[in-house]
Amino acid sequence: MAENDVMLALGNSPSRKEILVHWEPENEVFWNKYGKRIANQNLYTSTWALVLSFVVWTLWATIAAKLNAVGFHFSDEQIFTLAALPGLVGATGRLFYTYLPGLLGGKTSTLITTALLLLPVIGLGNALQDTTTSYDTFVLLVAFIGIAGANFSASMANIGFFFPKANKGLALGINAGVGNLGVSLIYLTAPLLLGWDLSDLFGPGLATADGSTLYLQNVCYFWAIPTVITLALIWLFMDNLPLPKQSPKSILSIFSNKHTWLMCWIYTCGFGSFIGFSAALGLLVAKEFPEVSFSMAAFLGPFIGASVRPLGGWLADKMNCGSRVTLLSLFIMLGASFAVLFGIQSHNFIIFFGSFLLLFLTTGFVNGASFRMIPYIFNNPFHSSLVTGFTAAIAAYGAFLIPKIFGWSYASFQSVTPAFYILIAFTVSTILITWYFYDRKSSGIKC
């Protein structure tokens, strides 16, 4: 519909429902008069809901190491299996959650997926107060927590429809980057909640061997409160856009497109590294630098990586569709990986941790910029949305694979060095893919 026709159809005082029916963000007059305000309301609400999802997805990592200290009796293998489950379930769930906004609408899907967070959070809070709770019960509850990680794909598949192409990079960067801050937020708050006596609200704590008391359930119950508040915000400020219905053939067509798989590879190098290192860094420090007290610094890496993601999206809006920002960031990531390995081999924690913070920084730029590339590669907005969600699903397996690679390396070679060689080789391959298919002048991608 022509620009003037849209405004005539809306009249002088259109309702919110009428605006949504005629949603055309590429229409500059429509966008400035009606679209921007509604789009931003959806973005800010969706972003906060995503923060909570990342909090819930990673909260188990802050609890698992404390279980045996308060009277549970699980083997190391059982503990590590529980630690890997949220990543595995979350990544797999993303494959399905990508389609929820198209089936249910963005508001409805966000409302349902956020409400589901309450079930494992409250269930785990109950289970953690009883040291006779079985391992199988924890398997079910911790696996259920994994669905929180699936929310990312639904959220990202939805929010891009609200914004014009020129603003998608920043919008997706804000939604994903601030959402990723949930990882940092749970690492920052968990040490405080574990020692905070809230027994009048959440029940008594459990004693440790050294005579102190830990309140494991606090980490779960506390986050149930903002989740309930967020449900009200979603109801008030989010919308269901009338998205075009696509045939199954159209949906499946993304899998026959080579760029779907190439973008999965690139984004896995970014987000897979971000979420995988977030899950494994504490374990790596404990193994390589046992003399270092790390609990209060664990939030720094995820905080940096998540904070710069919107900047990566913004730079991608300004520079070469995002391929140049992605490529330069990957080169820095490669150098940081070598520096981390040098810090481990020389047993220098300052070099190790400083290089790891740089590594997290580069993942943020890669994540923001690579997502910006997708709308240029896939001109169909619906296909672009599906590919965004699908790449997010594949990359999330990093939360499962990186800790497993570290564990395999230690078990097979008594050293983490082979694991870093694998990750370095993966980064090199991603650099080559980004340059050859997207950044060189003859790549065929039109910015």
Side-chain angles (χ1 to χ4, degrees):
M1 189 179 292
E3 182 175 295
N4 291 334
D5 292 341
V6 173
M7 302 310 294
L8 286 172
L10 287 172
N12 293 325
S13 301
S15 67
R16 193 177 181 106
K17 183 177 181 180
E18 289 171 330
I19 294 171
L20 293 169
V21 169
H22 294 88
W23 193 261
E24 290 196 17
E26 300 297 341
N27 180 328
E28 187 175 351
V29 177
F30 170 88
W31 174 251
N32 289 325
K33 190 170 183 178
Y34 302 118
K36 185 185 295 185
R37 179 178 62 85
I38 292 176
N40 285 335
Q41 286 179 354
N42 279 269
L43 172 62
Y44 300 149
T45 308
S46 169
T47 298
W48 173 244
L50 199 53
V51 169
L52 287 178
S53 295
F54 274 95
V55 164
V56 173
W57 195 26
T58 50
L59 68 80
W60 182 252
T62 67
I63 295 171
K66 312 292 184 183
L67 289 177
N68 289 344
V70 296
F72 291 95
H73 301 286
F74 297 140
S75 68
D76 286 343
E77 182 181 0
Q78 289 175 320
I79 294 290
F80 280 109
T81 298
L82 289 175
L85 277 175
L88 182 63
V89 174
T92 305
R94 288 185 178 195
L95 297 171
F96 304 98
Y97 272 39
T98 297
Y99 304 99
L100 286 183
L103 295 173
L104 305 176
K107 173 181 178 176
T108 304
S109 62
T110 307
L111 193 69
I112 292 173
T113 56
T114 302
L116 284 175
L117 302 181
L118 292 170
L119 298 179
V121 164
I122 294 173
L124 266 179
N126 291 335
L128 288 166
Q129 295 180 79
D130 183 2
T131 56
T132 65
T133 301
S134 69
Y135 175 71
D136 290 342
T137 299
F138 275 114
V139 167
L140 291 174
L141 290 170
V142 173
F144 202 167
I145 267 189
I147 65 170
N151 291 2
F152 182 84
S153 281
S155 181
M156 295 298 283
N158 170 56
I159 210 64
F161 284 110
F162 283 92
F163 289 85
K165 189 178 254 189
N167 300 96
K168 284 182 188 292
L170 181 59
L172 292 172
I174 290 172
N175 193 52
V178 178
N180 288 170
L181 281 172
V183 179
S184 180
L185 187 59
I186 189 62
Y187 276 115
L188 184 62
T189 57
L192 303 175
L193 290 169
L194 287 169
W196 191 2
D197 186 354
L198 296 173
S199 52
D200 290 340
L201 286 175
F202 301 145
L206 296 172
T208 65
D210 63 7
S212 62
T213 302
L214 288 177
Y215 302 87
L216 302 184
Q217 73 274 17
N218 285 3
V219 181
C220 300
Y221 287 146
F222 176 85
W223 288 103
I225 299 170
T227 301
V228 172
I229 296 172
T230 302
L231 292 174
L233 296 177
I234 294 168
W235 182 260
L236 292 171
F237 297 113
M238 289 193 71
D239 300 282
N240 290 322
L241 276 181
L243 302 178
K245 300 300 180 183
Q246 300 287 321
S247 67
K249 182 179 180 181
S250 176
I251 292 173
L252 292 174
S253 68
I254 67 168
F255 300 114
S256 62
N257 191 319
K258 69 180 180 182
H259 293 292
T260 299
W261 303 102
L262 292 172
M263 289 309 302
C264 283
W265 191 279
I266 293 170
Y267 190 63
T268 297
C269 192
F271 182 78
S273 297
F274 168 82
I275 198 65
F277 288 142
S278 295
L281 183 55
L283 178 63
L284 187 60
V285 171
K287 190 77 174 176
E288 298 292 340
F289 302 95
E291 71 278 8
V292 174
S293 178
F294 189 66
S295 61
M296 292 306 295
F299 81 97
L300 274 174
F303 176 78
I304 291 171
S307 296
V308 302
R309 181 166 182 161
L311 180 58
W314 178 80
L315 285 173
D317 282 336
K318 309 296 181 182
M319 189 189 306
N320 205 34
C321 307
S323 61
R324 184 61 50 82
V325 177
T326 301
L327 185 63
L328 293 175
S329 301
L330 286 168
F331 273 114
I332 300 172
M333 179 187 287
L334 180 62
S337 299
F338 278 112
V340 167
L341 187 56
F342 175 76
I344 292 173
Q345 293 175 341
S346 62
H347 199 73
N348 187 316
F349 181 75
I350 294 176
I351 293 177
F352 165 83
F353 190 51
S355 301
F356 235 118
L357 294 183
L358 179 60
L359 198 55
F360 272 109
L361 181 78
T362 58
T363 66
F365 280 108
V366 172
N367 293 339
S370 60
F371 258 17
R372 182 65 187 98
M373 294 163 61
I374 293 174
Y376 281 105
I377 299 168
F378 298 87
N379 291 321
N380 182 317
F382 188 79
H383 287 174
S384 173
S385 171
L386 291 180
V387 173
T388 298
F390 183 70
T391 56
I394 298 301
Y397 282 106
F400 175 75
L401 291 174
I402 287 182
K404 284 292 188 181
I405 291 172
F406 284 170
W408 162 82
S409 185
Y410 280 121
S412 302
F413 303 97
Q414 292 73 54
S415 169
V416 77
T417 298
F420 272 95
Y421 285 155
I422 292 172
L423 297 174
I424 287 169
F426 184 58
T427 304
V428 170
S429 68
T430 308
I431 289 172
L432 294 174
I433 288 171
T434 304
W435 172 77
Y436 184 82
F437 288 99
Y438 304 113
D439 194 62
R440 65 192 179 104
K441 290 183 180 180
S442 58
S443 66
I445 302 301
K446 296 181 180 180
C447 295

